[in-house]
Amino acid sequence: RVGLLASLIYAISSYLVQFDRMVSSANLVMMISLFVLLALWAIKEEKKWGIYLLSFSLGFGLHNHFSLAFLLPIALFALLFVIPKPKIPRRSLVFSSVIFFLLLLPFLIFDLRHGFLNSKALLHFLVKPGEGAFDPFVGFLEAIKVAVWSLKGIFLMKQFPLLDLPIFIFLIWVGRQIFSKKRRTKEAADLRLIFLFIVLPILAFSLYRQHIPNYYFMISFPAFIIITSYYFINFLEKNRNRKVRALLFLLIVLFSFINLKQNYTAANSLSLKNKRGVVRFILDKSEGKPFRVSYTTALSFENGFPYLFWFYKAKITADEKSPIFTIVVPKNFQGIVPWVSFGGFGVIGPRYD
């Protein structure tokens, strides 16, 4: 029942559905986080495949998004302090280490050939300096604020400030429940392992000195969905009051209706269809002649265009005598007014220098 409810939440959450419609390096964050959680649970249950899944997920994850680097300390903390004396055969440990190294090898080779570009970017991400003095306590409060804001988006894409306090209280209550000395059951041990994926990212991002994007906490989403589903089903099974059970069922129906309606009516302004529209417009205006392309976009929003230009065999050149087209994403980025728009994409051009 817990799994069915968690699957329902993940499948119809408008926030998650619309995020997955975008092409981003963060698209696989939740899946990899869930794989790491599953692998740690398997190690805890002494299943041989757990260590292999863990090494694969961590090695593969570092190629996707920098926020997944936080899964490494989560896994180490779980193996050292949460899972009681994990029994991992030496042979399995060696083979899994080889798997991790082989998956990381392209990353390392690229860095060696390009002046440690990825390593420097990862280090900059983890210890990025900020302006002025840094107060860890203020950073902790900011991390909690962003985490709560992100987690409530799973249920309601339109943010309601009134939900912040209940979710914060729920997290405190869950922590108190599963770390209580009275809760030494196998079930509580599983919940403690899951809860790590919420607590440790908050503590880690407390030391982050820049603005924390809400999607950085996507590594916590699977854990939060599972814990919420567990306590919802647990409360439903223990409460025999028909009115209360009817109210809980009504909440599920209301959640489903609101999110399905948002999914049905939402338009993906940054869709592949609109990207193709931009590329075809530029090709038509260039009339088969060479042209230049520049980008004025938010971080990584230019992804996909080089491939589309290659696919349509565009004659892109660096010749300054050729016309130039500027792609703006989102179309109102930095107050720019594009000449023509395709969904959330804007185009300026052709211009001649």
Side-chain angles (χ1 to χ4, degrees):
R1 291 184 180 182
V2 173
L4 287 174
L5 180 57
S7 299
L8 174 69
I9 293 172
Y10 181 82
I12 68 175
S13 169
S14 182
Y15 180 86
L16 300 181
V17 168
Q18 294 188 42
F19 184 85
D20 281 345
R21 288 177 178 176
M22 298 174 58
V23 179
S24 167
S25 59
N27 284 138
L28 297 178
V29 166
M30 287 181 288
M31 182 189 75
I32 294 169
S33 177
L34 186 60
F35 280 173
V36 171
L37 175 57
L38 175 62
L40 290 171
W41 173 84
I43 292 171
K44 176 180 169 295
E45 296 296 315
E46 299 182 9
K47 298 183 182 297
K48 294 181 180 180
W49 52 267
I51 188 64
Y52 297 108
L53 179 61
L54 180 64
S55 61
F56 174 83
S57 301
L58 293 176
F60 179 71
L62 289 175
H63 291 279
N64 286 271
H65 195 268
F66 288 143
S67 64
L68 289 169
F70 289 110
L71 291 176
L72 284 169
I74 289 174
L76 288 173
F77 188 90
L79 292 172
L80 292 174
F81 303 108
V82 178
I83 301 174
K85 298 180 180 179
K87 297 179 180 179
I88 304 174
R90 185 175 298 178
R91 184 179 179 183
S92 299
L93 189 61
V94 171
F95 283 146
S96 61
S97 300
V98 171
I99 292 172
F100 179 76
F101 176 75
L102 289 176
L103 287 170
L104 210 59
L105 197 57
F107 186 99
L108 298 174
I109 293 173
F110 179 90
D111 264 19
L112 288 171
R113 295 181 62 185
H114 297 85
F116 298 96
L117 186 64
N118 282 322
S119 299
K120 289 177 181 177
L122 177 59
L123 187 63
H124 186 66
F125 171 80
L126 296 174
V127 294
K128 191 174 183 180
E131 296 180 359
F134 178 71
D135 187 342
F137 181 71
V138 174
F140 177 68
L141 294 178
E142 180 64 19
I144 291 177
K145 176 185 174 183
V146 177
V148 170
W149 191 93
S150 303
L151 294 173
K152 73 177 180 180
I154 296 173
F155 302 103
L156 291 172
M157 189 168 180
K158 292 183 178 180
Q159 296 295 323
F160 293 97
L162 291 177
L163 290 178
D164 289 5
L165 185 59
I167 288 181
F168 176 71
I169 293 174
F170 174 70
L171 291 175
I172 296 296
W173 179 80
V174 169
R176 184 177 178 277
Q177 287 288 311
I178 63 179
F179 287 101
S180 171
K181 292 182 179 179
K182 297 179 181 179
R183 299 293 301 273
R184 295 301 179 186
T185 62
K186 178 179 177 296
E187 192 174 76
D190 291 340
L191 290 171
R192 280 194 288 272
L193 177 61
I194 297 170
F195 198 61
L196 279 182
F197 284 73
I198 300 174
V199 175
L200 290 186
I202 291 176
L203 294 176
F205 283 118
S206 298
L207 304 176
Y208 191 64
R209 299 193 176 196
Q210 295 290 325
H211 168 71
I212 307 172
N214 63 302
Y215 70 88
Y216 279 10
F217 281 99
M218 282 192 161
I219 57 177
S220 302
F221 280 16
F224 183 71
I225 291 173
I226 293 171
I227 284 180
T228 303
S229 301
Y230 168 80
Y231 280 105
F232 188 94
I233 295 298
N234 191 49
F235 182 75
L236 182 65
E237 290 177 344
K238 289 183 178 180
N239 198 303
R240 296 299 176 182
N241 188 307
R242 290 185 177 180
K243 292 182 179 180
V244 175
R245 293 169 72 94
L247 179 61
L248 294 175
F249 179 75
L250 182 62
L251 284 175
I252 296 177
V253 173
L254 187 62
F255 161 77
S256 302
F257 174 77
I258 292 174
N259 282 272
L260 287 173
K261 182 176 181 295
Q262 288 179 342
N263 290 334
Y264 181 75
T265 58
N268 183 10
S269 62
L270 302 180
S271 65
L272 178 59
K273 177 183 177 181
N274 289 327
K275 280 189 175 183
R276 284 176 174 166
V278 170
V279 172
R280 288 170 178 169
F281 170 80
I282 293 175
L283 291 175
D284 288 342
K285 289 295 182 180
S286 68
E287 299 178 343
K289 298 177 182 178
F291 60 89
R292 292 174 292 156
V293 177
S294 66
Y295 301 93
T296 302
T297 73
L299 184 63
S300 299
F301 274 38
E302 72 278 8
N303 289 346
F305 281 108
Y307 169 77
L308 287 174
F309 281 119
W310 171 83
F311 181 80
Y312 286 106
K313 300 178 180 178
K315 298 178 180 179
I316 297 178
T317 180
D319 186 358
E320 294 184 358
K321 295 180 180 179
S322 300
I324 184 170
F325 294 87
T326 300
I327 299 174
V328 184
V329 193
K331 62 183 179 182
N332 58 351
F333 185 62
Q334 296 181 343
I336 296 173
V337 180
W339 295 9
V340 64
S341 299
F342 295 85
F345 302 99
V347 181
I348 298 174
R351 293 181 292 112
Y352 294 85
D353 294 339

